[in-house]
Amino acid sequence: MDILIDTYRIRLSDHPESFDSSKATIVFLHDSLGSIELWRDFPQKISESINCNVLSYDRQGYGKSDPFSISKRDQEYLKKEAQVLAKLIDHLKLEKVILFGHSDGGSIALIAASLYPKKIKGIITEGAHVFVEKETLEGIRNAKMAYETTSLKNKLKKYHGNKTENVFKMWTETWLSPSFIHWNIENYLPGIQCPSLIIQGENDEYGTINQVSSIIQKTSGISEALIIPDVGHSPHREAANIVVETTASFINTLKI
């Protein structure tokens, strides 16, 4: 299903008019190279574990949504995505919303929960960033090399088609630009009033546990951390059972 937000088309994973309004709706926010399809069956596993509505969408520029309408991002790009998310929630008349965000999607979830506390009942993040670390930049440089020397580009083309080059450049050129080293969203954290579950792989190649510590310490709502040993940047793929079980337990405590 497609909807129009502002002037561009956004692809949704489902038809929300068929949702049971008595149940919570978990909105999945993909990472910087992600899409609806790259979540694979994970949202369905969550839905089956707690009997809720699940919805994911391709942000502008990704997957089957319209291409980017800009050629360069600024330091506010994740805030802008949080604003788009709020419009999407209003457009679809979603209630009892819980956000599950991976990487960039996790940062968007944090900002959205801070800016729109009445819209969001809880958040789960995986590998979210609130500031730039040298590990983040090193991970992106390694990904850039893999994109140039391995089959990574062709794998991404299966999901982003002719938008693939722009998807990758938007991510790498933004984060590796000298001015982006000062990017920081910790100022949003005190505004987060809802409960949050902050997940990170112990071996996350794009950030350290300092990201989790900052979020846990600075949010106003009740925050709990899940650090998973021997797991990298994508716990929902690398340790799906643990993430599903912990997420279900967390959501059940919200009593929505």
Side-chain angles (χ1 to χ4, degrees), residues 2-233:
D2 294 341
I3 62 170
L4 202 64
I5 298 290
D6 294 332
T7 59
Y8 53 87
R9 184 181 51 83
I10 293 291
R11 172 62 57 90
L12 305 180
S13 63
D14 211 329
H15 294 262
E17 65 267 19
S18 65
F19 287 174
D20 184 340
S21 60
S22 69
K23 298 176 182 178
T25 296
I26 304 178
V27 179
F28 290 84
L29 307 169
H30 63 72
D31 64 300
S32 54
L33 299 178
S35 69
I36 292 170
E37 293 181 12
L38 278 165
W39 283 111
R40 298 188 172 90
D41 64 346
F42 181 72
Q44 187 59 33
K45 288 180 178 178
I46 295 292
S47 176
E48 291 170 356
S49 69
I50 56 172
N51 191 25
C52 62
N53 306 310
V54 292
L55 179 70
S56 55
Y57 67 97
D58 293 331
R59 296 196 295 275
Q60 184 187 14
Y62 297 83
K64 294 181 172 63
S65 290
D66 277 348
F68 293 112
S69 52
I70 57 172
S71 59
K72 186 177 180 180
R73 284 171 169 163
D74 59 28
Q75 295 198 17
E76 296 289 299
Y77 84 95
L78 292 171
K79 178 183 178 181
K80 292 172 183 175
E81 292 294 351
Q83 292 167 335
V84 171
L85 171 60
K87 292 177 182 179
L88 183 146
I89 290 171
D90 288 344
H91 181 88
L92 299 175
K93 298 181 172 62
L94 298 179
E95 299 180 356
K96 303 177 182 178
V97 173
I98 299 166
L99 303 178
F100 190 114
H102 176 215
S103 195
D104 262 16
S107 301
I108 293 167
L110 293 168
I111 297 170
S114 177
L115 292 178
Y116 310 103
K118 293 183 179 179
K119 298 183 190 296
I120 313 300
K121 302 299 183 185
I123 58 173
I124 303 104
T125 69
E126 281 188 321
H129 295 93
V130 291
F131 50 82
V132 181
E133 296 181 284
K134 61 181 177 58
E135 289 82 1
T136 316
L137 303 181
E138 182 179 352
I140 294 172
R141 291 188 188 102
N142 290 338
K144 188 174 180 182
M145 183 175 296
Y147 186 79
E148 295 167 353
T149 61
T150 72
S151 61
L152 176 59
K153 181 188 294 189
N154 287 332
K155 289 178 180 178
L156 290 173
K157 279 184 177 179
K158 288 169 30 183
Y159 305 101
H160 304 296
N162 59 12
K163 297 190 287 288
T164 301
E165 196 72 24
N166 282 338
V167 165
F168 200 82
K169 280 187 174 182
M170 281 288 195
W171 175 46
T172 55
E173 291 182 359
T174 300
W175 280 78
L176 295 177
S177 69
S179 62
F180 204 75
I181 193 71
H182 304 296
W183 174 85
N184 189 301
I185 60 168
E186 289 175 295
N187 60 302
Y188 290 104
L189 299 179
I192 299 175
Q193 301 170 18
C194 65
S196 57
L197 171 62
I198 311 303
I199 303 171
Q200 184 150 321
E202 195 171 48
N203 299 334
D204 191 324
E205 58 272 37
Y206 294 103
T208 72
I209 304 304
N210 291 334
Q211 303 281 347
V212 177
S213 299
S214 176
I215 298 168
I216 294 291
Q217 291 168 11
K218 293 181 171 67
T219 52
S220 298
I222 298 171
S223 294
E224 57 182 282
L226 172 63
I227 310 299
I228 308 178
D230 304 317
V231 163
H233 190 58

